[in-house]
Amino acid sequence: MWHTVFATAARNQRANLRAFPWAFTLGHIIEGGYLVLVSYFSYVYLIQGDLDDRFALYAGSGNYLAYAIIGGALNVFSVSMMMNVSRALITEWREGTLEALLLSPSSRNGYFLGTALQQFYRSGMVLLAVLVFGILAGMRLSAPHLLSVGVSGGLFILSCYAMALVLGSIMLYTRDTYIVQNTLFAVTTLLCGFQFPRQYLPGFLQAAGGVFPLTSSLQLLRRTLLTGEAIPLRDTLPALLLSLVYIAVGMWSNRLVERGLFEKYQA
Amino acid sequence: MIQMNEVTKIYETKNRLGLFRAETRTVTAVQSLTLSIAKGEIVGLLGLNGAGKTTTIRMLSTLLDPTSGSIEIDGMPMADNRRSVQQKVNMIAGGERMLYWRLTGRENLQYFGRLYGLNTAKIRSLSDLLLAEVGLTAAADQPVEQYSKGMKQRLQIARGLINDPEYLFLDEPTLGLDAPIARQLRSTVRSLAKEHGKGILLTSHYLQEVEELCDRVYVLNRGRLLLCDKPDAIVRQVAGLQTAHLQVSGWDEALRPLLQEHLGKLGHPAELIGGVKDSDGNSASRSEESYRISVRSTSADMLITELLPWTMQYGLRINGFTCDKPNLEDAIILLSEGRVS
């Protein structure tokens, strides 16, 4: 499996660099800077630092700027991670390389992990840019509890990966990327609580947001970054279990759909 | 040996008739097909579009599951040994698919080598060797998007050989290639089978190519097997025997029974089907009049050496010799038009 992971990551990286030699890096830096500016202007000029009392209660911190910048950065990260992993197979299909890939005895999980690894590198650059711009804009974080940041960060990545696998099956089944991905991203942006605490939402929307592993892993990661507190192990279970369920469903459905794809196409 | 036993493939598709209504359509692409490919053998798969050729290749290469029947590769049932089977087979399709255009030729081979679990040293040596074999060493580090169609096709061949497969499936491998490149490819295919002992299944719309390369040919029609034999046997069986036309001077109708008797003594079937005056009527004498004698035989070429002594014995002068040889294309056209039962 690891052969496939590293080979796929290297292949994607080479192909990306060859396709977008300088725009590749610059695009991510601009994206990161824009995100921080929007959060900063909203906070300073739109709401003029006037926060609802409930915000600190819901968010666990009154630091809205850090809350919004972290949420925005993680939203960009999750969207690009989910989009690129989920689109991987349908892109192979469109470019005429899926047959060659499926002919080989390579691990499909390895293939997706390789795509995710390369995407992590790309999205990591955006995160880095956001962090630099955020600090320049006045974002301050408490001293982090490194283990908790590591565990919740890993869970966040895992939940993105898990959701991407399921999304990928849907894309492959419907042979559509645009409507499927944008519908999901609009829903996750609203329900997962990237820009504001989910408690502001009506009860049924809060419950709907709980279906995504992204929601609980985002809350964990942001909580530990904002407060610097350690995360109890039991708090990680909902995100972990939900991610594992999504991964199992995603792998199963991908296998089913990719075989069905040739049936549909051939008929 | 690849053995396909009584394989049937039925596709089920849904046609949407409205928001909540759909009708299910079933298409039988392959029906009760039994087929075998031995190592070192080139087997052709022919038929019209929609005959089930690509479906058959996709089933053999593990991309599709048969609806019923079984496929075994070297005694291993494919259904339970997909990964092991994938190590033994590979497929090369015509056109420009199955390659990553933004990678170089070498990077493509390295990537596919990794997917087959080869180690770095093996991949390096194998990709250098394959690139040299397909004549792409000079372009090895050039992105595939800059390759010509012929170069892409040659890289496809290298990709198809990266796992050193024991069986290779070629789906229209010379589609759209220039004549010299197609010829080179045919020579590579022949060498892969005869010198490297690979079992090869070939589909092609270029029937001359199939006739030239294949040891045996399966002819499919609407998913059913119509015929399986050597190409020349199929031609004989479907399009009939070859006809030799001998132009002679000094012919006499009295010689007809003697010629028939002579033909009956030959080692292969030969039948006199005509003897007509071939001259324009201005000949100075009867002895100069040209006649065309037509003989139907399994091997028209051999007739010249067999008829020459006979014509000399009876004082006939040979003015010309031509052959009508039906080929595989004639046979397939006859089959497709339903003119042969």
Side-chain angles (χ1 to χ4, degrees):
Chain A
M1 182 180 88
W2 295 108
H3 273 173
T4 309
V5 173
F6 295 119
T8 305
R11 183 206 75 182
N12 287 353
Q13 181 65 8
R14 279 195 189 114
N16 275 335
L17 286 175
R18 214 157 268 154
F20 331 103
W22 58 268
F24 177 70
T25 310
L26 189 66
H28 292 312
I29 292 171
I30 292 173
E31 198 178 351
Y34 178 73
L35 186 90
V36 172
L37 283 178
V38 169
S39 303
Y40 180 80
F41 287 146
S42 307
Y43 181 62
V44 175
Y45 298 109
L46 191 67
I47 61 173
Q48 296 175 335
D50 185 19
L51 285 169
D52 184 327
D53 291 339
R54 291 174 298 170
F55 179 82
L57 186 69
Y58 294 157
S61 159
N63 187 351
Y64 175 79
L65 195 60
Y67 183 95
I69 289 173
I70 292 169
L74 292 178
N75 192 21
V76 169
F77 180 91
S78 67
V79 165
S80 62
M81 176 71 97
M82 287 195 287
M83 187 162 67
N84 285 286
V85 175
S86 60
R87 276 198 317 203
L89 277 188
I90 198 166
T91 304
E92 301 271 1
W93 167 260
R94 286 172 178 170
E95 292 183 355
T97 48
L98 186 64
E99 266 174 293
L101 181 75
L102 300 188
L103 274 174
S104 72
S106 59
S107 144
R108 197 71 64 250
N109 203 22
Y111 171 82
F112 284 121
L113 280 173
T115 310
L117 182 67
Q118 190 267 339
Q119 191 52 44
F120 177 71
Y121 166 77
R122 278 180 68 174
S123 305
M125 288 174 63
V126 180
L127 275 181
L128 200 68
V130 170
L131 200 66
V132 171
F133 284 117
I135 289 167
L136 291 176
M139 179 179 81
R140 296 291 176 263
L141 296 174
S142 329
H145 184 269
L146 288 177
L147 181 64
S148 295
V149 171
V151 168
S152 51
L155 263 182
F156 184 75
I157 294 166
L158 185 73
S159 60
C160 292
Y161 178 72
M163 286 180 64
L165 291 185
V166 176
L167 181 62
S169 308
I170 299 169
M171 282 183 181
L172 211 53
Y173 182 75
T174 57
R175 277 189 256 173
D176 167 78
T177 47
Y178 189 77
I179 294 174
V180 174
Q181 76 191 17
N182 289 316
T183 306
L184 179 79
F185 299 151
V187 171
T188 53
T189 302
L190 176 71
L191 300 184
C192 295
F194 283 103
Q195 294 296 335
F196 54 86
R198 291 171 62 234
Q199 289 86 336
Y200 284 117
L201 290 170
F204 72 97
L205 287 182
Q206 287 183 45
V211 169
F212 303 119
L214 206 55
T215 306
S216 41
S217 62
L218 168 69
Q219 310 308 322
L220 279 182
L221 179 57
R222 191 164 42 196
R223 193 172 94 199
T224 188
L225 283 172
L226 286 177
T227 62
E229 287 171 4
I231 300 286
L233 194 62
R234 67 173 182 282
D235 287 6
T236 62
L237 288 178
L240 180 66
L241 293 177
L242 211 47
S243 296
L244 293 178
V245 169
Y246 269 70
I247 288 173
V249 171
M251 295 307 290
W252 170 78
S253 56
N254 256 313
R255 198 165 296 273
L256 208 66
V257 172
E258 71 186 25
R259 293 196 76 73
L261 195 64
F262 286 107
E263 305 255 349
K264 254 201 238 177
Y265 177 70
Q266 195 73 31
Chain B
M1 157 94 70
I2 290 184
Q3 188 63 50
M4 200 173 198
N5 297 313
E6 290 287 317
V7 165
T8 295
K9 179 69 196 176
I10 299 170
Y11 295 114
E12 272 191 14
T13 55
K14 279 188 179 168
N15 272 358
R16 290 222 160 272
L17 299 173
L19 197 57
F20 301 107
R21 285 197 317 138
E23 64 172 8
T24 306
R25 193 169 61 99
T26 59
V27 179
T28 305
V30 172
Q31 199 162 1
S32 302
L33 179 62
T34 296
L35 172 151
S36 66
I37 307 163
K39 285 181 181 166
E41 186 184 31
I42 306 180
V43 172
L45 194 58
L46 295 182
L48 300 177
N49 284 328
K53 301 187 297 280
T54 302
T55 296
T56 304
I57 284 196
R58 285 189 163 161
M59 285 193 285
L60 287 170
S61 52
T62 74
L63 292 176
L64 285 173
D65 294 321
T67 309
S68 66
S70 65
I71 304 173
E72 286 184 3
I73 295 196
D74 295 339
M76 278 192 303
M78 184 185 274
D80 311 323
N81 301 279
R82 194 179 301 281
R83 287 273 160 95
S84 311
V85 167
Q86 284 173 328
Q87 291 285 6
K88 282 174 177 269
V89 303
N90 212 328
M91 180 175 94
I92 296 167
E96 299 171 78
R97 299 173 299 135
M98 296 173 93
L99 294 169
Y100 295 98
W101 285 29
R102 283 184 193 147
L103 301 187
T104 66
R106 191 190 305 281
E107 286 165 353
N108 264 282
L109 295 187
Q110 286 172 346
Y111 180 61
F112 285 111
R114 282 285 185 201
L115 294 186
Y116 282 93
L118 306 181
N119 63 40
T120 311
K122 175 86 176 159
I123 290 173
R124 193 170 296 144
S125 63
L126 201 57
S127 47
D128 283 348
L129 183 77
L130 289 172
L131 286 165
E133 265 185 28
V134 296
L136 286 175
T137 304
D141 297 311
Q142 212 174 306
V144 171
E145 59 195 351
Q146 293 171 13
Y147 280 20
S148 69
K149 198 169 184 172
M151 289 163 83
K152 286 185 191 120
Q153 190 61 48
R154 280 185 279 157
L155 183 61
Q156 268 240 50
I157 294 174
R159 181 201 56 74
L161 295 171
I162 193 74
N163 60 326
D164 193 18
E166 291 168 39
Y167 300 95
L168 197 55
F169 310 127
L170 306 175
D171 193 5
E172 306 282 352
T174 52
L175 191 71
L177 291 187
D178 295 338
I181 297 167
R183 176 185 285 182
Q184 188 192 337
L185 200 145
R186 285 197 291 274
S187 146
T188 308
V189 170
R190 194 180 293 112
S191 140
L192 286 171
K194 304 305 167 196
E195 291 164 32
H196 300 272
K198 298 187 188 305
I200 292 177
L201 181 71
L202 169 74
T203 75
S204 177
H205 278 103
Y206 305 119
L207 297 177
Q208 204 183 338
E209 181 171 281
V210 175
E211 205 166 2
E212 182 189 327
L213 288 174
C214 295
D215 301 307
R216 285 187 303 126
V217 172
Y218 288 83
V219 183
L220 303 184
N221 187 28
R222 295 174 195 274
R224 282 181 179 277
L225 179 64
L226 281 185
L227 281 170
C228 168
D229 215 324
K230 292 178 178 171
D232 56 345
I234 288 180
V235 174
R236 240 185 353 257
Q237 199 178 333
V238 175
L241 300 169
Q242 299 175 359
T243 307
H245 303 287
L246 200 65
Q247 268 119 3
V248 295
S249 302
W251 175 256
D252 190 322
E253 277 302 315
L255 292 172
R256 186 183 285 269
L258 295 174
L259 179 57
Q260 266 168 341
E261 189 187 338
H262 177 72
L263 291 173
K265 290 178 192 163
L266 298 179
H268 53 92
E271 179 198 0
L272 182 63
I273 56 166
V276 294
K277 199 185 278 186
D278 201 29
S279 64
D280 55 9
N282 297 327
S283 309
S285 68
R286 190 175 162 276
S287 64
E288 284 180 21
E289 279 182 342
S290 183
Y291 278 80
R292 192 170 68 157
I293 302 163
S294 300
V295 178
R296 194 182 288 147
S297 160
T298 51
S299 176
D301 291 331
M302 282 168 67
L303 279 174
I304 187 70
T305 55
E306 290 163 342
L307 287 178
L308 196 60
W310 186 88
T311 55
M312 288 171 70
Q313 184 186 340
Y314 290 98
L316 300 175
R317 199 176 75 224
I318 296 177
N319 300 325
F321 180 82
T322 54
C323 292
D324 286 341
K325 290 183 184 175
N327 56 21
L328 197 54
E329 188 169 331
D330 297 321
I332 297 300
I333 288 171
L334 285 171
L335 282 170
S336 70
E337 289 172 350
R339 284 157 58 189
V340 181
S341 61

